[in-house]
Amino acid sequence: MQNIYIGYHFKVEPKDPGTEILLAELGETPFESFIETEEGLSAYIQKEFWTENVLDDIFILSSPEFKIEYTFEEIDQVNWNEEWEKNFEPIEVDDTCYVRAPFHEKTNAKYDIVIEPKMSFGTGHHETTFMMIQHLLETDVENKKTLDMGCGTAILAILAEMRGAKPIDAIDIDNWCYLNSIENAERNNCEHITVYEGDAALLEGKKYDLIIANINRNILLDDMQQYKDCLNDGGTLLLSGFYEEDIPFIDASCTEKGMKFIKKFSRNNWVALKYVN
């Protein structure tokens, strides 16, 4: 039996950070797949879960700070690969790391990562993923036991292995992300990544030399003590998924737990911070 979807196509102004906020809010609803577009975002929900008031609790739609217009349509059996081929552009970071889909041509980049995400979480298009790649390219991860928390499509875990990290745990609470991370790790011939479905409760008793957490401010603050408890002395913590104005809250949580700030990347008001335990 074919699944019938309702597809919403949002035009967002300003696109950044409006699209990310919209995506985060829609992620709390029955919408299950998202594709970033040139104008904003397309979001898809199975018709059986759709109601006329499905957008009533999406606060950004009524925010005076953003202008958001949308259309919607009924779609039979969405071909996610076809949608991605229309919208997914490869990403190049510092002439060193290249993130692409299988249908893109291979380059001579030192780190060539191939993913087939079918949705837009963690593809590298978003500023936070881009900056976390930058941090990983500058960090010595050779033989470092690593955690990719909230791994999404496992891009960061894959890059960590390519740069010599092992063993690597990749964790995501979302079942789709869990399954897709397994697929992408296999696609990139990774041998040291183990993917788990769950949250910070899985960290009890674990120890790591490097923790990568690209999630959002509230979850990071809630789980910061677990990260501290899991981080070996001298270990590195890379954090992103929040704005410049969130830095005081993140920094206070890290420093009061004895972690030292090392470096910040900024990109369109998003930031990625590096700490050492």
Side-chain angles (χ1 to χ4, degrees):
M1 184 174 116
Q2 287 192 336
N3 290 326
I4 298 175
Y5 284 81
I6 306 294
Y8 281 76
H9 308 292
F10 298 92
K11 181 179 180 180
V12 184
E13 297 178 359
K15 184 178 177 183
D16 295 314
T19 299
E20 178 67 15
I21 296 171
L22 176 61
L23 192 153
E25 290 197 49
L26 291 173
E28 300 297 321
T29 73
F31 282 90
E32 64 180 52
S33 297
F34 308 87
I35 296 173
E36 290 192 35
T37 64
E38 287 186 3
E39 294 186 322
L41 184 72
S42 289
Y44 299 88
I45 180 174
Q46 289 191 42
K47 187 175 181 180
E48 64 179 297
F49 301 125
W50 178 84
T51 63
E52 290 185 358
N53 61 352
V54 69
L55 298 180
D56 283 2
D57 293 329
I58 307 302
F59 299 110
I60 190 174
L61 295 180
S62 57
S63 170
E65 297 180 29
F66 300 93
K67 179 183 178 183
I68 301 179
E69 301 173 350
Y70 65 87
T71 60
F72 63 95
E73 61 180 332
E74 187 171 299
I75 306 169
D76 290 336
Q77 194 66 24
V78 176
N79 184 332
W80 299 118
N81 287 341
E82 182 179 314
E83 291 295 319
W84 268 102
E85 289 193 25
K86 288 190 288 186
N87 291 284
F88 180 52
E89 294 295 331
I91 307 103
E92 186 172 358
V93 181
D94 297 343
D95 297 319
T96 304
C97 180
Y98 193 71
V99 182
R100 63 184 177 91
F103 50 82
H104 293 133
E105 289 188 15
K106 190 179 188 304
T107 71
N108 293 321
K110 185 174 183 179
Y111 305 108
D112 183 68
I113 300 175
V114 183
I115 62 167
E116 193 166 3
K118 309 188 184 77
M119 63 192 292
S120 61
F121 294 121
T123 62
H125 286 95
H126 191 265
E127 285 86 345
T128 60
T129 310
F130 188 99
M131 291 184 293
M132 291 293 261
I133 290 174
Q134 288 182 302
H135 271 308
L136 282 174
L137 292 175
E138 290 188 357
T139 302
D140 178 11
V141 302
E142 187 77 27
N143 293 316
K144 300 292 177 66
K145 186 174 182 182
T146 297
L147 168 66
D148 182 2
M149 193 70 196
C151 58
T153 53
I155 282 178
L156 300 177
I158 292 166
L159 177 59
E161 172 161 335
M162 288 181 172
R163 300 205 67 245
K166 62 181 179 181
I168 301 166
D169 290 343
I171 298 176
D172 204 290
I173 197 170
D174 182 89
N175 178 257
W176 186 94
C177 292
Y178 161 74
L179 296 173
N180 191 241
S181 292
I182 293 173
E183 293 172 1
N184 286 327
E186 292 175 349
R187 183 174 285 111
N188 289 274
N189 301 311
C190 293
E191 299 178 350
H192 303 291
I193 297 173
T194 304
V195 185
Y196 299 92
E197 182 178 356
D199 57 18
L202 294 174
L203 301 181
E204 186 173 355
K206 298 281 188 75
K207 284 289 186 181
Y208 299 98
D209 303 306
L210 170 65
I211 296 177
I212 307 162
N214 181 15
I215 310 178
N216 65 56
R217 187 190 85 166
N218 292 338
I219 293 178
L220 293 175
L221 291 174
D222 287 344
D223 294 345
M224 198 70 74
Q225 188 60 54
Q226 283 103 315
Y227 302 155
K228 165 66 177 179
D229 293 342
C230 289
L231 198 57
N232 286 325
D233 289 343
T236 299
L237 176 64
L238 302 179
L239 301 171
S240 195
F242 49 92
Y243 305 113
E244 287 273 0
E245 51 266 33
D246 296 320
I247 291 177
F249 303 99
I250 297 293
D251 187 66
S253 180
C254 289
T255 54
E256 74 182 9
K257 295 173 178 61
M259 293 183 281
K260 180 183 178 183
F261 171 75
I262 301 297
K263 186 168 184 176
K264 175 184 81 170
F265 281 114
S266 300
R267 194 175 174 89
N268 295 327
N269 201 44
W270 293 93
V271 293
L273 307 181
K274 179 177 182 179
Y275 288 85
V276 170
N277 192 23

